[in-house]
Each structure stands twice: as C-alpha cells, then as structure tokens.
C-alpha cells in the first residue's frame, strides 16, 4: 500500500471497495480511480494502442492520455475522471474501448440555463470571479469539471481560503454551483454546453450567458525524451496532487526533471510524504534526462514500470549517470487551457517569455482570467527555459513519445516533415497527434514546438491546430437526452388511429405521421394483403385514411392571383364548389409539389399538399407572399390537423356514400368528378369531394378532426354490406402507379420538369407562374432528358427494385452508360403481373424498346411502355 | 447563434430557416431576360467573407420572413 498515514482530502473513515481487472481493492471516499489504483500500487493501468506498451497514471485530471479504462458500458474513461464508488468494476484498456451492444441504461436530461455571468473553472481565479459577479446580484453559474471546487488549490494547502470563499459563494441567491460539470463546447454569442456527470447518467446544460469568464487554468506539459512513457513517469503537478490531495505516494524514490520553477515546492512535498528525492534534473542547470530503463521484470508484477533514468549533460558528451527511481516527475512548463476560448473564435499568440500560447484577441463578452490568461504565477512557473525534446544517441526518435494516447513519437513527426508537410494541421492528420480521446491535451504544443525546431521557425509562426468541440468526450446518450426511443421525435396520429390499431394495421412512418401501411388479415404477408386491398378498390369498395394530406387554407381578395402565380395551371375559371389538381415548380422549373386546390367560397380556397411536403409548401408560399409579392392580400393557415379525410374508393363507393347521405344527389350529373358538396350524416358535418388518387370512382369525405373516428366508423358500418376493405399506403401507391399518377418525391427528385413527366398539359400558356421562364432554358428543353415511362418486366413475376439503374446493353458490359432509374415498382392485382415507373433518357422515344437492370448476379429485362397501365380513357374515374 | 426576430426578439437559430442572400432581386419581367441573365438569377448567389444581407424565416415562431446583415466570419448580426 502506498497510502499515506495522514493528509489529503480523502475520508479514511469511509472505505470503498472496488475492483480493477478483476482484483478487489480498497479506496476511500474522495478518491478517484487513479488515486485509488496508485494507493494500491497498481502502476500499469493500460496498454498503449499501437505498440502495446504498458502505461500508468500520467496526470491528475482531464488531460490524462494513459490510464484509460472501461467501466460497465462506458467504454473509454480516464481513470483520473472516474469518481470512486462502492462496487465499481473497472478494466484497463488495451488501447481501445469496446462498444457495448446493450442500450445505454443511464438517464440523461437537458437543462436550458440563462445567466449574466458564466464562470468556467472553479480554481482560485474562477472562484474569485464568481464572488465578484455574485455581489452584483447577477445570475451567476460557476462550473468545474472536478468533484469539488478548488482546482490546483486542492493539492496546495489552500483549504482555509477555499472553505471561506465557497461559503461566501453560497449566500447570494442567484449563484449556481455545478461540480463534475465540464464545459465542452463554446459557441457563438456565448452558448456553452456543459456535461454534468451524475451517479446514474448526466445532464446536458445548454447555458446562454451574457458574459463568459474563462478560468480554465493551465495544463502542465511534459518534456520529451527516450522511453518517456514508462509507468511511474508523470507530470510533476500530478505527483504533487496525489501526495497532497489524495494522500498517496505515487512512488518511493523520485527523480524530478524540469525546466521551470514550478517543481520547487514538489521536492519538499515528496520528502514530507516519505518519498526520497534521488535527483533534481534541471535543463536550466545544463542537465537532462536522456533515457529511462525499466524495473527488473517480475518485481511485484510491475514489469515495464520505471526502474531508473539516465542523466546526461545537455551539451552531449561529458559524464552520464544512472539513477534508480520508480517515480519521475516531469515539468516542461504550462499551457493555458484555451480550448473553449479558441472554439469561441478567440485568437492566440505565442508568448516568448512564458513559452506558451496565451489569449490575444478575445471574442465579444468573453474574458480570460488566471492561469488561462497566462498568469502562471499561481502555478509557480517562474523562470522557464523553453525546452522540448532531449535528443538521444544515434538519432533514434522511436521511443520519444509526443502523443501518449495515440502512440505517436518524434520519429513520426519527423517523417511527416520529411514528406514535405509544413502545416501543423497536416502533421496532425498524418501522425494522428491530438486525435485521441484526450485530444492531445499534453501533446499539441509539443508537436508545434518540434515542427518549429525542425523547420527553424518561431513556435508562434507554426501555431496550433484548430480547437474543436467537444473539449472532452461526450456520450451520444447525453446529447440525445430524453429524445430517444418513442420520444426521439414527435409522433403524429390521425383521429382514426385507434381504429387502425384495433384492426391490426401495420404502420409506416411518413415524416412524423404514423400511417397504416397495410391491414393484414390473419397471417397474410404484405404482398398478399396489398393485392387483396387493391382488388377491393378496383372491384368493390375500399377505404383509406387520407387525413395526413397537407392542407393550407388560403383566404383574401388576391387569392386567385396568388394561386395563378404559384401553380403552373390557372385557377381563375374554377367555380366555387369545385376543385382542380395543381402542380408547383421551383424557380428552376423543377417540379416541387402537387395537390388539389379547392374553391370553397368567395376569396376562400384550400390547397392540399403531399403528406411530407406540407411544411415546405407553406413556407414556400409564405416566402413569396412576404418577400416578393407583398402587395397581394392573401393569408395562409395550416389546417392539416383540423381535418380528417376518409377516402371511399371503388366502383361500389357510390353505394356506400348513398347509405350515409341518402338525400344528397350522387349521380354523375349532380355531383360530377372534381365537385365539392356539403352535407351531414348522423350529426357529423361532412364536406364531400369527388377526388381520386386511384383512378376509381371515389369520394373523399372531410370532417373536423374530432369527428374523424365517428365518420370512419360510420363509413365502415355503411360499407359493411359491400365488404368495404380498409387499405393502407402500400395499396395506395400501387393503385396510383397503375394509373400513372406521380408522387412528388418519388418520381421526382428536384431535377424533373413537368415536361419530363409528360405533363405539359398542366402548363398554362396564358399566365406567368414560378418556374415558367426556366422551362425555356436550353438545358431544361433538352430532348435527351430523363422522361417518365412505364416498364413491364419480361418475366411477369419479376419485381424491379426501386432505385435500380437502367442500361441498354443486356449482357452486363462494364463500363456501361446508365440511362435511367426505376422510381416505383409493384405487383399489380389488376394487371396480374409486376410493373414499374421509371425516369429514362429520351424515354418517350424508347416506347416498345427493351431496357435492362443489371442487379446483383442477374439482369432484369423490361419493355418500355407509356406510364399508364389502367383505364387510359378515365371511364372509371368519371363514372 | 442567436437571431433577432423583429417580432419575437432574440431566439436560438434552430427556430429559423435560412433563406439565402436578400440581394438577388426577382427579374421584373422574367420572360424578357435572356438565358444567361436568367441563369445568373436562378443559380448564382453571393458568398462573401464578411457582411452579408440575408433572409431568414422564423419557422418555429411567428413564421415571418425578415432581412438581417450577418458577418459570415464572426456571426455578428446587425439588423438590416
Ligand atoms: Zn418571430
């Protein structure tokens, strides 16, 4: 045991049992996993990622590159960041964590916070800043990544000051104190994301602050020398923290290797803890640690741990000496922690005297204080002799580790430079320095210095790589918060949803909507069910819930003019009580959306959109009204959810509707195709439309959505004598495709014109509309554009996959020119065969020709046809 | 990024949709312009480093379109 008999901020009356790699150990309240492992003489914690070299605890904080562990489903944690709790089971990693296939059982929440002042970092500077801000009555949030406030002070004998200051911070009403809370992202206008660790999960704080005070301190950096990665080698400040804060002796015999004054206090602290100081090697005195050697293997199972160091004069030559030790405390100076500052677009400059990058121009409303601002007095850096790498004999750089987590050495950096790379960003990507889960917190500036030295440039001219969020690894679970599983996204249900569920519908997601996909009977598969549903619609009567159609209410004296400009076809002749199919293009002439436009009354219209396009169409219309056509007096309202829509479809649909509305004349003369009627059934007000998306005689019955379920049930009851059959979106797709009706977003993809679809008939020649000018562009009028065609596979049973590419050579020659693709493909009950729609180059010139779809291992041949397979004369539709 | 909606005040950017440059005027008479002019209007947009006049719509709020000036480097916004 290396636990000191007294001292530290641990509670020796509260022991904690934990295990590491299956071996049980004991620690104390106040320990983290790293301090507890050191107290139990566990020196090798993990093996490095590339070379499998043994690695031990290197730091005492977030910058830890070596001591990576897995705890339960948390695949890659720093032992220095894992608070010790009873029963903790940790294992050391062999370079990589293993992703768990179990769902993340933690509970995560999000908090949105607003404050005048957000202080990040609860060391001396941060606490002072928070105290000051708290006096004014402002809302203040102080966050610190550690389990308690104090930062460096916790291991430096400042306990009284801490107690007084933290007590004072608890009195103002609007000061909020968060520990175990790491600010990991600093975005525009002071949005700061904070990950707070809680016993069984965490909280993601999204704080918006008027002013951010960065009191993020400084990270000590190591000096680099041969075999600088052995367990027992650690940052000098970390050794001090383990002794003073955790009451742990991280070794018995120590050597200190430094280039600055910060290690002055360390020697005394080590001696008081009973650790002998065998040598103090100071580059300022002309000496350096040249190399290290391992302890004899087998000694307590600590093979590979530090056994001693070789010390040599900096000038080379001279006398060398070997000193045995099991702890090497290294300090190469300090790097102000400016990750967040840089994320927020703050600029850095290199300070020659301090030998580090310091804040230069701060972003608005961001202030940097304390060590982060370059005030390294608290760290005791004092005089520093900038020094980075101790060269070894024979130019061997292969064990001079720059990035310990990534196992990158000086040799790798030199190789990058020898290939001609000069930018620190390129060297980073070539070597992977700084791309580990520690993001190179102890490596980055050393990398810059090595490049600068090699290229003979000033360190400041080489600069640092871009700092990007997150500052520490953040789990996806935390990002998602409660928005997972059923709460991933809002779910939209129609008024008839309970009926669909009760009748065994299989649902599909259409945007946020749950829509019945098909209604299987007994053990039917989708294919059988859809064929049956289609047959019912073609031969008898079927019914579909069409409530999800987008609906936009359009009112105002200029509504007609507005519609004329939005849609390719004209609406001035459409009478009240009638509707018309309309098509919309974008400015580039490409088809955007379609739907039915209904003329409801004077200056009152309603437009339906595709289910998925509702929001986009409303936004599109609003954009034109608000930014271009500000003189038009038109108001738009989304009424999608206001209406329930029951589509009664098929040759027997008139019989069903007659049962519901016995007094309403339904003959084709009184209620023709595309007419609208108002009526009611069983007290339910209903607006009836003769619209069809199947090509059959059909009625769409609309009612206020709260009547939706009642209307649906009334339709089912009235349809029972006619064996009315509910159908879902799959059958709807088949029926419309048989009829050659497009679906925007399926046949079209933003590169398809109405002409390409064979819909020139819908382009008014008498008025301007959005996209019209583009139809005259040379490219848009090209004859070899992809055009909508039908396809009939030669084998009647062969189903073309949607998305299949089409070619003209049947033999699968490679390379071959792709001349089109399948957009829709189904089995048809009506045709008793498969069929497809496709977009095909010069498609209309290829009618009757063969095209081929080379698939994985076989080729499907198909004949090109007109894109309509059923009732070309619209006899059924108009009946 | 905080975006100042003229009707609702400062709101998080996720409430908005971007409408691109506000400096591209719809040709008065689209039919009168030649292909090249029309193509410039349809396909070409300024992409300055610095101040840019932009359209935004407060989709998750008041649904109003408005114009602002944003510095594409600093994201500092000044109302147009
Ligand atoms: Zn608004």
């Amino acid at each position: 045991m290396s636990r000191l008999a007294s001292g530290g901020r641990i509670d020796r009356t509260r022991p904690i049992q934990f295990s590491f790699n299956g071996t049980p150990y004991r620690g104390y309240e106040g320990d983290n996993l790293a301090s507890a492992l050191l107290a139990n003489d566990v020196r090798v914690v993990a093996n490095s990622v590339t070379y499998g070299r043994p690695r031990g605890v290197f730091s005492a904080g977030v910058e830890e590159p070596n001591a990576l562990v897995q705890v339960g489903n948390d695949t890659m944690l720093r032992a220095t960041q894992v608070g010790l709790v009873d029963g903790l089971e940790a294992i050391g990693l062999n370079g990589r964590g293993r992703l768990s296939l179990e769902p993340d059982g933690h509970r995560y929440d999000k908090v949105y916070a607003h404050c005048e002042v957000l202080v990040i970092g609860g060391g001396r500077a941060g606490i002072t800043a928070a105290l000051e801000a708290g006096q004014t009555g402002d809302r203040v949030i102080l966050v610190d990544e550690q389990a308690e406030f104090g930062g460096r002070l916790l291991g430096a004998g400042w306990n009284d000051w801490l107690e007084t200051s933290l007590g004072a911070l608890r009195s103002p009403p609007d000061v909020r104190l968060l520990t175990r809370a790491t600010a990991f992202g600093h975005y525009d206008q002071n949005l700061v994301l904070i990950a707070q660790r809680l016993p069984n999960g965490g909280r993601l704080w999204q704080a918006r602050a008027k002013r951010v005070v960065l009191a993020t301190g400084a990270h000590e950096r190591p000096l680099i020398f041969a075999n600088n990665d052995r367990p027992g080698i650690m940052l000098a400040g970390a050794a001090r923290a383990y002794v003073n804060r955790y009451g742990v002796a991280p070794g018995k015999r120590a050597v200190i290797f430094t280039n600055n004054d910060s290690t002055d206090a360390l020697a005394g602290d080590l001696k008081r803890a009973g650790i002998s100081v065998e040598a103090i090697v100071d580059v300022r005195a002309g000496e350096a640690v040249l190399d290290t050697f391992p302890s004899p293997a087998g000694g307590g199972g600590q093979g590979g741990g530090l056994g001693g160091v070789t010390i040599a004069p900096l000038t080379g030559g001279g006398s060398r000496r070997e000193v045995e030790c099991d702890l090497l405390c290294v300090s190469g100076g300090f790097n102000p922690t400016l990750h967040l500052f840089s994320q927020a677009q703050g600029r850095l400059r290199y300070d020659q005297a301090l030998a580090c990058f310091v804040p230069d121009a701060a972003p608005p409303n961001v202030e940097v204080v304390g060590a982060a601002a370059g005030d390294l007095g608290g760290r005791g850096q004092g005089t520093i002799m900038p020094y980075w790498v101790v060269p070894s004999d024979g130019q061997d750089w292969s064990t001079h580790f720059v990035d310990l987590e990534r196992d990158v050495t000086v040799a790798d950096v030199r190789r990058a430079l020898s290939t001609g790379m000069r930018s620190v960003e390129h060297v980073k990507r070539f070597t992977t320095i700084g791309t580990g889960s520690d993001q190179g917190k102890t490596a980055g500036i050393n990398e810059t210095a090595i490049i600068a030295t090699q290229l003979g440039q000033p360190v400041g001219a080489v600069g640092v790589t871009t700092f990007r969020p997150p500052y520490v690894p953040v789990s996806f679970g935390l990002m998602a918060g409660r928005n997972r599983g059923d709460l991933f996204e809002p779910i939209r249900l129609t008024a008839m949803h309970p009926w669909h569920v009760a009748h065994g519908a299989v649902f599909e997601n259409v945007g946020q909507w749950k829509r019945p996909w098909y209604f299987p009977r007994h053990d039917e598969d989708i294919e059988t069910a859809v064929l049956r549903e289609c047959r019912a619609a073609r031969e008898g009567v079927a019914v579909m819930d069409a409530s999800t159609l987008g609906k936009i209410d359009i009112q105002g004296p200029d509504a007609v003019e507005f519609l004329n400009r939005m849609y390719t076809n004209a609406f001035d002749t459409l009478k009240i009580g009638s509707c018309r199919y309309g098509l919309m293009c974008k400015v580039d002439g490409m088809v955007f959306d379609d739907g039915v436009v209904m003329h409801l009354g004077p200056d009152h219209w309603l437009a339906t959109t595709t289910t998925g396009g509702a929001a986009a169409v409303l936004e599109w219309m609003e954009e034109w009204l608000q930014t271009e056509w500000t003189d038009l007096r038109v108001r738009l309202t989304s009424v999608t959810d206001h209406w329930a829509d029951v589509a009664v479809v098929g040759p027997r649909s008139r019989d069903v509707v007659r049962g519901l509305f016995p007094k309403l004349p339904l003959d084709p003369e009184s209620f023709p195709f595309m007419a609208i009627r108002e009526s009611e059934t069983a007290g339910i007000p209903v607006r009836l439309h003769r619209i069809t998306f199947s090509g059959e005689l059909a009625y769409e019955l609309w009612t206020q959505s709260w009547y939706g379920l009642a209307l649906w049930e009334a339709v089912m009851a009235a349809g029972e004598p006619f064996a009315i059959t509910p159908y879902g979106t799959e059958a709807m797709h088949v029926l419309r495709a048989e009829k050659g009706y497009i679906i925007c977003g399926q046949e079209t993809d933003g590169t398809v014109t109405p002409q390409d679809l064979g819909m020139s008939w819908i382009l008014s020649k008498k008025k301007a509309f959005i996209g019209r000018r583009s139809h005259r562009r040379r490219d848009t009028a090209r004859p070899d554009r992809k055009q909508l065609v039908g396809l009939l596979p030669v084998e009647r049973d062969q189903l073309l996959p949607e998305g299949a590419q089409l070619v003209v050579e049947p033999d699968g020659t490679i390379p071959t020119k792709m001349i089109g693709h399948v957009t829709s493909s189904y089995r048809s009950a009506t045709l008793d065969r498969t069929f497809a729609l496709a977009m095909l180059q010069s498609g209309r010139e290829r009618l009757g020709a063969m095209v081929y779809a080379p698939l994985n291992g076989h080729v499907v041949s198909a004949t090109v046809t007109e894109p309509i397979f059923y009732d070309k004369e619209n006899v059924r539709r108009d009946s | 990024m905080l975006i100042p909606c003229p009707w609702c005040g400062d709101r998080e950017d996720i409430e908005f949709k971007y409408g691109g440059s506000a400096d591209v005027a719809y040709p008065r008479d689209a039919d009168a312009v030649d292909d090249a002019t029309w193509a410039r209007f349809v396909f070409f947009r300024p992409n300055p480093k610095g101040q840019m006049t932009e359209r935004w719509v407060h989709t998750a709020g008041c649904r109003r379109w408005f114009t602002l000036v944003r510095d594409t480097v600093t994201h500092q916004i000044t109302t147009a």
Side-chain angles (χ1 to χ4, degrees), chain B residues 5 7-8 58 62:
Chain B
C5 170
W7 308 93
C8 310
H58 194 186
C62 62

Side-chain angles (χ1 to χ4, degrees), chain A residues 791 800-801 804-810 822 851-856 858-862:
Chain A
L791 294 180
L800 280 161
Q805 295 291 325
L806 301 170
V807 303
V808 284
E809 295 92 357
V822 176
V851 292
Y852 306 91
L855 301 170
N856 197 14
H858 66 288
V859 176
V860 176
S861 318

Side-chain angles (χ1 to χ4, degrees), chain A residues 425-567:
Chain A
E425 298 282 2
H426 291 158
V427 174
K428 167 184 172 165
R429 280 151 187 81
F430 184 83
T431 61
T432 75
I433 287 177
T435 60
S437 66
D438 66 340
Q439 295 214 334
K441 292 186 178 64
T442 56
I445 310 301
N446 281 344
E447 174 196 13
T448 293
I450 294 166
I451 296 170
T453 310
Q454 286 293 308
L455 299 180
Q457 290 180 2
V459 174
V462 174
V464 292
T465 53
T466 307
F467 294 95
R468 293 192 180 84
Y471 169 67
V472 292
V474 177
S475 73
F476 284 112
L478 184 77
M479 299 275 193
R482 299 289 184 97
N483 297 102
R484 55 184 188 176
D486 284 346
L487 300 181
F488 176 65
E489 201 180 22
I491 295 171
R492 300 175 79 181
L493 306 175
T494 71
M496 294 79 114
H497 189 78
W499 191 96
H500 305 327
V501 172
H503 291 79
V506 176
F507 292 90
E508 75 165 335
N509 296 328
V510 182
Q512 295 175 331
W513 289 103
K514 294 275 177 212
R515 296 196 71 179
W517 190 16
Y518 58 100
F519 290 84
R521 281 191 187 157
H522 313 296
D523 302 331
E524 274 181 338
D525 58 12
I526 177 168
E527 197 180 305
T528 321
V530 169
L531 288 172
R532 174 181 51 74
E533 290 171 11
C534 288
R535 218 173 287 123
R538 293 281 183 235
E539 294 168 9
V541 59
V543 60
M544 188 187 69
D545 179 357
S547 308
T548 63
L549 272 182
K551 303 170 200 78
I552 299 168
D553 188 84
I554 301 166
Q555 298 195 38
D558 296 319
V560 188
E561 174 63 19
F562 173 68
L563 293 168
N564 277 341
R565 296 184 193 180
M566 289 308 304
Y567 288 89

Side-chain angles (χ1 to χ4, degrees), chain A residues 177-261:
Chain A
L177 304 173
L178 302 178
T179 53
R180 295 193 174 91
T182 310
F184 66 85
H186 191 161
Y187 302 89
D188 295 310
Q189 290 136 351
N190 281 340
L191 172 68
V192 177
L193 299 195
I194 301 159
Q196 186 184 20
R197 305 187 297 283
L198 293 172
N200 189 31
R203 268 188 208 136
L204 177 64
W205 290 75
Q206 307 191 35
R208 181 71 77 170
K210 283 234 165 66
R211 187 159 69 88
V212 168
V213 179
L214 294 171
T216 42
H219 288 147
E220 196 168 23
R221 62 174 180 254
L223 296 160
I224 299 170
F225 44 90
N227 291 298
N228 60 335
D229 66 328
R230 295 192 199 283
I233 300 175
M234 69 170 62
L235 293 168
R240 220 175 151 215
Y242 287 116
V243 168
N244 295 337
R245 180 173 171 190
Y246 299 101
V248 171
K252 292 183 179 63
R253 292 190 293 168
V255 168
I256 298 171
F257 181 26
T258 186
N259 67 345
N260 66 82
D261 291 345

Side-chain angles (χ1 to χ4, degrees), chain B residues 5-9 11 15-16 58 61-64 66:
Chain B
C5 170
W7 308 93
C8 310
R11 291 288 190 278
E15 295 185 13
F16 297 82
H58 194 186
C62 62
R63 274 174 42 200
R64 303 301 295 170
F66 58 94

Side-chain angles (χ1 to χ4, degrees), chain A residues 626, chain B residues 3-11 16 54-58 62-68 77 79-80:
Chain A
Q626 292 183 35
Chain B
I3 296 175
C5 170
W7 308 93
C8 310
D10 285 350
R11 291 288 190 278
F16 297 82
E54 301 174 332
R55 276 179 186 161
W56 289 80
V57 59
H58 194 186
C62 62
R63 274 174 42 200
R64 303 301 295 170
W65 281 88
F66 58 94
T67 301
L68 54 73
I77 292 171
T79 39

Side-chain angles (χ1 to χ4, degrees), chain A residues 138-181:
Chain A
D138 279 349
R139 292 170 299 174
V140 178
I141 301 177
L142 173 64
V143 301
D144 192 89
E145 65 187 4
Q146 300 216 37
E148 52 181 333
F149 290 107
R152 167 190 71 81
L153 305 182
L154 292 167
W158 282 64
N159 292 353
D160 292 346
W161 184 88
L162 271 178
E163 211 165 297
T164 313
S165 306
L166 291 172
L169 269 180
R170 290 199 171 88
S171 46
D174 265 339
V175 177
R176 188 175 234 160
L177 304 173
L178 302 178
T179 53
R180 295 193 174 91

